[in-house]
Amino acid sequence: MARRGKPAKNGTPPPIAEQKRLRQADRSTVPSPPYLLLSKLLDVGCDLPVVGTACPDGGWRTALPDEWTAFPSGRLAHSFSSYYDGDVERDLSFGDYVRARARIHGAGKQPTAKGPSLAGGVGRYYDYAFRTDSTELGDLTHPVSLCVLLVLVAVFALFKRVFMPRFCALGRRLGRSTHGPEWEGENEDRIVKFGEYVYRLIYHSAVSVYGVWYFRNKSWWDRSQGGTENLWIGHPNHPVEPGMSWYYLVQCAYNVDALISLLTLSFTIEPVNPLAYSSALEFLEKEHVVDENQRKQQVLKMMVRSRDQTVLWTPLFQVKWSPARRGDFREMMVHHIVTNTLIFFSSYYRFTRVGSMIFLIHDLSDVPIDMSKLANFVKWKGTTICCFVVMVMTWIVTRLVIFPFVICRSVVTEAHVHMVENGPMDPALHDAYYLMFYMLLAALVFLHVTWFLILLRIGWTLVSKGETHDYSEHKNGEKQKTS
């Protein structure tokens, strides 16, 4: 919100609520997204305690010409709230829940608990978390949700710490039984990845079963009830059921853990002897290598045995690519960043319905992916081929058809109609941020197409050479060994 000290040269701008009403009456007055974002950035900056002291007393708009700041024609004249202020019912806090529960049971008196007080307190927490709609758990940016999220991430990490060795042991047994005892010593990286994908298969299978069960009767999945239009009708006051809140919390925790795991599996940190580094610099200086940058480069070549595997080198430590890293590390890194950004933003802006659709189609297509990778890790060729065929068919249906032509189409063609034209959303709020959501969704579509091309390459290699190469794990293919 802009500061409102002394009146501006062109008069005091209308309050944000009045600006919103005028924008809804005439949407042609809304400036383009770059101007809206610049105005919001300057408004927020002038409201900050330190930065705001540099702004004029009448607000930053008083320093600009009237044609830029005169409402509603000025390109920088519009202010808007970054949320649905006044249009959305506030999420229910635990304190409000307890007070409302007390009122229901009579004149502010707590109901008599049948059991101990501790049991009564636990019961209230349970009811709030698992039986109450639209609580603070539905917003992943709320401190309460963030605390729960951290606990869930720790639970995932603990689960992996306990069960990953068992999953890897299963991979060892399967590999030895199929290829002999010498296979284990030559394929330690495969064994580690086998354990990782057993964990993924368990998660994706469980969350897919829950998703199909929980969303089976939801109106946005049923075309006879309006289909995807129900993603936007009534927004932002959709009730967020406990099942949806926990679905989002668990999915977010898994994706955060997956990002951490990707970094852990892809990089290793090794110490560097600082004394050896100093000695090498002195040696090169005596050899008349005067330029400091040239000396450092030569020292790096001398001290790093596999230069092409080094990501970051310092005199104290070096970060190197791990042998277990994925061949599509960059694509997966972009995917995790985009996914986690969409998760938090969709939760904050109450787009959980469309977010849940994206979750479900990804989880369903991930199950055959995990199975195909597991079969390939232990080189079960027949099983790998069967899983690969199912994976390609599922990928086409979910990620290349449903995602772009059902979900993204609804975002582009239906969201504005129901949220802005026929709904309460401020047109400035929509226009300021819609491009960001479009770009994030487009990035996912691009990644889906990129990975599909990798799948086609895998299929072509299988048909033409009769060999199974997972190019998502090994960019240049895998060493083929006859069992």
Side-chain angles (χ1 to χ4, degrees), residues 156 159-160 163-164 166-168 170 194-210 250 254 363 366-371 374:
F156 276 113
F159 180 88
K160 292 169 67 175
F163 289 97
M164 282 286 285
R166 293 171 171 80
F167 298 154
C168 292
L170 174 62
F194 182 92
E196 178 72 19
Y197 275 94
V198 170
Y199 158 73
R200 294 188 186 189
L201 177 61
I202 292 173
Y203 173 81
H204 289 136
S205 300
V207 79
S208 295
V209 170
Y210 173 82
V250 171
Y254 172 81
D363 292 329
D366 278 334
V367 172
I369 292 174
D370 298 335
M371 296 178 66
L374 287 172

Side-chain angles (χ1 to χ4, degrees), residues 77-183:
H78 291 251
S79 298
F80 59 95
S81 173
S82 294
Y83 199 61
Y84 313 112
D85 295 343
D87 296 326
V88 64
E89 298 177 3
R90 188 169 62 92
D91 290 330
L92 185 67
S93 68
F94 181 71
D96 291 338
Y97 164 77
V98 172
R99 286 187 288 272
R101 192 166 179 261
R103 285 195 298 271
I104 292 174
H105 287 83
K109 296 180 180 179
Q110 292 288 352
T112 303
K114 295 181 179 180
S117 59
L118 178 61
V122 172
R124 285 194 294 271
Y125 280 113
Y126 179 85
D127 289 342
Y128 173 77
F130 296 101
R131 295 180 178 175
T132 307
D133 292 346
S134 303
T135 66
E136 292 174 343
L137 294 175
D139 177 8
L140 293 178
T141 64
H142 192 278
V144 173
S145 292
L146 288 175
C147 292
V148 175
L149 179 62
L150 290 176
V151 172
L152 290 176
V153 172
V155 170
F156 276 113
L158 179 62
F159 180 88
K160 292 169 67 175
R161 186 179 183 87
V162 173
F163 289 97
M164 282 286 285
R166 293 171 171 80
F167 298 154
C168 292
L170 174 62
R172 286 190 178 90
R173 290 197 299 271
L174 294 176
R176 284 198 302 263
S177 64
T178 305
H179 306 290
E182 70 280 357
W183 180 90

Side-chain angles (χ1 to χ4, degrees), residues 22 26 29 107 153 189 218 254 350 389 401 403 434 440 447 454:
L22 294 173
D26 184 6
T29 62
V153 172
D189 294 339
K218 300 302 181 185
Y254 172 81
R350 295 201 173 199
V389 172
V401 176
F403 180 66
Y434 79 93
L440 291 171
L447 289 171
I454 294 176

Side-chain angles (χ1 to χ4, degrees), residues 219-263:
S219 58
W220 54 91
W221 279 105
D222 188 350
R223 296 183 63 181
S224 65
Q225 300 183 50
T228 53
E229 291 190 358
N230 292 292
L231 297 172
W232 321 108
I233 296 175
H235 183 273
N237 286 307
H238 298 148
V240 182
E241 299 174 351
M244 178 71 85
S245 297
W246 284 99
Y247 183 71
Y248 245 75
L249 281 166
V250 171
Q251 292 275 29
C252 185
Y254 172 81
N255 279 278
V256 170
D257 176 75
L259 176 59
I260 297 172
S261 296
L262 178 65
L263 295 173

Side-chain angles (χ1 to χ4, degrees), residues 181-376:
E182 70 280 357
W183 180 90
E184 179 181 351
E186 300 172 355
N187 292 274
E188 188 61 33
D189 294 339
R190 288 181 180 274
I191 293 171
V192 173
K193 290 184 178 181
F194 182 92
E196 178 72 19
Y197 275 94
V198 170
Y199 158 73
R200 294 188 186 189
L201 177 61
I202 292 173
Y203 173 81
H204 289 136
S205 300
V207 79
S208 295
V209 170
Y210 173 82
V212 171
W213 169 79
Y214 181 73
F215 296 113
R216 67 191 187 284
N217 295 322
K218 300 302 181 185
S219 58
W220 54 91
W221 279 105
D222 188 350
R223 296 183 63 181
S224 65
Q225 300 183 50
T228 53
E229 291 190 358
N230 292 292
L231 297 172
W232 321 108
I233 296 175
H235 183 273
N237 286 307
H238 298 148
V240 182
E241 299 174 351
M244 178 71 85
S245 297
W246 284 99
Y247 183 71
Y248 245 75
L249 281 166
V250 171
Q251 292 275 29
C252 185
Y254 172 81
N255 279 278
V256 170
D257 176 75
L259 176 59
I260 297 172
S261 296
L262 178 65
L263 295 173
T264 303
L265 287 173
S266 301
F267 299 106
T268 59
I269 300 177
E270 297 181 358
V272 172
N273 187 348
L275 297 179
Y277 175 73
S278 302
S279 300
L281 284 177
E282 292 176 3
F283 171 77
L284 289 174
E285 193 170 2
K286 292 178 181 178
E287 292 293 315
H288 307 293
V289 182
V290 180
D291 183 72
E292 183 179 357
N293 291 330
Q294 186 178 357
R295 289 204 311 271
K296 290 182 177 180
Q297 289 177 1
Q298 291 194 29
V299 169
L300 180 61
K301 292 179 181 179
M302 293 167 58
M303 300 185 67
V304 179
R305 287 173 295 180
S306 54
R307 176 75 185 275
D308 60 325
Q309 294 296 314
T310 301
V311 180
L312 174 66
W313 189 89
T314 73
L316 297 178
F317 66 90
Q318 59 180 335
V319 179
K320 302 176 67 174
W321 290 112
S322 168
R325 73 182 172 105
R326 294 173 59 100
D328 60 349
F329 167 80
R330 292 176 179 84
E331 291 87 347
M332 282 301 300
M333 191 68 187
V334 173
H335 179 268
H336 284 310
I337 293 174
V338 170
T339 300
N340 282 290
T341 303
L342 279 171
I343 291 172
F344 280 99
F345 271 101
S346 64
S347 174
Y348 179 73
Y349 284 108
R350 295 201 173 199
F351 294 134
T352 50
R353 290 187 175 184
V354 64
S356 69
M357 291 188 75
I358 298 174
F359 276 138
L360 185 55
I361 63 168
H362 279 76
D363 292 329
L364 290 172
S365 62
D366 278 334
V367 172
I369 292 174
D370 298 335
M371 296 178 66
S372 178
K373 285 182 176 291
L374 287 172
N376 185 57

